[in-house]
Amino acid sequence: MIHFLLMLSVGCDPGAESKPPIVAACDPSSGNICTWAGTGDAAFYGENLPKEQSMFYFPVDIELSELGDTLIIDWNNHRIRSVDAEGLVHTEVGTPFVGDGDPVMADLSCPGVDALTVNLNHPTDAVYMRDGRILFASWHTHKLRLVDPLSGLSCVHCGTTPGFVGDNGEDASTALMNQPKAVLTDANDNIYFLDSRNGRIRKLSADFTIDTFGGDGTFGYSGDGGPVDAAVFNFPTGPNPTPAGALAFNADESVMYVADALNHRIRAVDMATGIIDTVVGTGTAGFSGDGGSGPSAMVNEPRDLEVGPDGRVYFVDTANERIRVWDPTSDRVETLAGDGESGFAGDGGPALDARFSTPSGLDLDMDGNVYVADTFNHRIRVIYR
C-alpha cells in the first residue's frame, strides 16, 4: 500500500526577491489533460495568488459546487482552500500549525471562531451544505467541522475524541467517531460519512441524531446481495492509516456508491431497499477489464469516486495510477486517463498518455470536465471532455 508522508507543514515566504513560477501553456482540447492549479512544488506559497502560481502539499481532493467556490483539500498544509471566480486561491479554514481547533477551544460550539485561527490536522474531504456552509472531515482529530465562507467562522459539528459512541438514533452531541474520511449530504440535509476505523458508514440526520447506515464494524468483505447494515467493508486501519474510500449519490439519490478501497471494489446501495452489491471489481488488486463489465474488471485501491452529469461513475484507481469510469447503463469500464506508470507527464496531450503520482480525489464540473487531485505531484489537473 502507498502511504502518505505525515510531515509538518512547510511554509514558504515569497519575500521581495521571489518570482512567480513560470506557467506552461496547455492545450485544452477534448481528451487532453492539463495542470489546473499548483506548480508541482510541495509548499505553501501564500494567499490570493493565481491558482497556477499557488503551491499545495499533497492535495487529496477537490470539490466543485454551484453553492460556492471550488474547494481544494490541502492535506499536508492542513487547510481547506478555495479558488474563486477570478482563479485566486484563499484559505477558508486552517493555519500554518498542526492542531485541533483554536487556541482557547472556542470552536467547540457554533457559530465558532475565526476560521483562520483554527488549527487542523490533515483534513480529507469537504462538501457544501445547502445553506452555503462547508462541512468537512477532520481526519486526525475525529470530527466533522463546519466553516461559513460568509462569516468566516468555523466550529465543530460533531465528534470529540476517537471512539465509537452514539448510534441507534441517539443524540449526536455525544457521538464519537474514529478518523472520518468522506462526507456526503442529501437533499434532506442528512449527512453520511465514512467512519473509517469503525468500519462503518454512519448517518447524521437533519434532526441531529446518529445511526449506522452501513457496515457491521468489522473489516473484511461480505454482504453483497444483503442489507447494507450487515455488510463488511475494508478501509485502512492501524495506528496511522492512509485515508481511502468515498461515498457518492447518483442524480436522484436512489443509489449510493461506495469506494470500498481495500476490497478493491466499487459497491452500490439501493437506497429504497438497502441492498448492497458490487458493481466494479473482482476483489483482487490488479488492473484489467477495460471494455468489459464492471464486476469482471480488476481495480487497485479506489480512493474516491463521483457520479458525472452523464450518469457515469468516475473513480480514482489510485494504485493503478489511473482515472477510470464505469457506465451503469452499458456496464462497461474504461480508462479515462493514465498509462499506469507513476510520475508526472502528459500535460497538453492525450490524457491516456499522462502519468500521475498517487492520485487520490476527483470531481467533475457541469460540462463533464474531470478534475483530479494528483496528490504526490502537488497539483490539480483537469481532463477536458
Side-chain angles (χ1 to χ4, degrees), residues 194-236:
L194 197 62
D195 194 357
S196 294
R197 288 180 69 187
N198 282 322
R200 292 173 164 90
I201 301 166
R202 299 175 78 184
K203 180 181 179 181
L204 181 58
S205 298
D207 63 2
F208 207 60
T209 57
I210 194 166
D211 203 349
T212 289
F213 171 79
D216 70 355
T218 62
F219 295 84
Y221 168 71
S222 69
D224 277 3
V228 65
D229 59 359
V232 177
F233 300 103
N234 200 4
F235 304 117

Side-chain angles (χ1 to χ4, degrees), residues 125-264:
D125 192 19
V127 295
Y128 279 96
M129 306 285 284
R130 288 196 302 164
D131 61 8
R133 292 182 299 166
I134 299 164
L135 172 76
F136 65 97
S138 194
W139 168 256
H140 273 129
T141 57
H142 318 287
K143 297 175 178 70
L144 303 182
R145 296 181 184 267
L146 292 165
V147 58
D148 185 343
L150 293 180
S151 68
L153 300 178
S154 179
C155 64
V156 173
H157 187 53
C158 185
T160 54
T161 57
F164 179 72
V165 172
D167 220 348
N168 304 313
E170 297 174 29
D171 187 297
S173 60
T174 59
L176 299 181
M177 59 194 73
N178 200 332
Q179 294 193 309
K181 186 325 185 142
V183 288
L184 178 68
T185 59
D186 68 14
N188 296 314
D189 295 325
N190 299 304
I191 296 167
Y192 297 82
F193 65 95
L194 197 62
D195 194 357
S196 294
R197 288 180 69 187
N198 282 322
R200 292 173 164 90
I201 301 166
R202 299 175 78 184
K203 180 181 179 181
L204 181 58
S205 298
D207 63 2
F208 207 60
T209 57
I210 194 166
D211 203 349
T212 289
F213 171 79
D216 70 355
T218 62
F219 295 84
Y221 168 71
S222 69
D224 277 3
V228 65
D229 59 359
V232 177
F233 300 103
N234 200 4
F235 304 117
T237 59
N240 198 13
T242 298
L247 309 172
F249 281 126
N250 66 347
D252 65 4
E253 298 182 355
S254 61
V255 178
M256 177 191 287
Y257 293 103
V258 183
D260 193 354
L262 297 188
N263 278 324
H264 313 292

Side-chain angles (χ1 to χ4, degrees), residues 254-311:
S254 61
V255 178
M256 177 191 287
Y257 293 103
V258 183
D260 193 354
L262 297 188
N263 278 324
H264 313 292
R265 300 172 188 262
I266 307 297
R267 302 171 80 178
V269 183
D270 184 315
M271 296 299 287
T273 65
I275 300 300
I276 188 170
D277 276 299
T278 293
V279 294
V280 178
T282 64
T284 299
F287 175 75
S288 70
D290 276 2
S293 70
S296 65
M298 294 175 70
V299 301
N300 196 342
E301 198 178 323
R303 290 192 185 174
D304 194 21
L305 54 76
E306 295 289 344
V307 179
D310 56 5

Side-chain angles (χ1 to χ4, degrees), residues 257 279-280 294 312-315 324-328 331-333:
Y257 293 103
V279 294
V280 178
R312 298 195 297 170
V313 179
Y314 295 76
F315 61 96
R324 301 175 80 183
V325 58
W326 171 69
D327 188 332
D331 187 22
R332 182 183 175 92
V333 174

Side-chain angles (χ1 to χ4, degrees), residues 52-73:
E52 300 87 354
Q53 297 173 10
S54 296
M55 295 180 184
F56 305 96
Y57 197 165
F58 295 155
V60 293
D61 208 356
I62 180 168
E63 172 75 8
L64 294 97
S65 175
E66 300 173 331
L67 299 172
D69 292 337
T70 296
L71 303 176
I72 295 173
I73 315 305

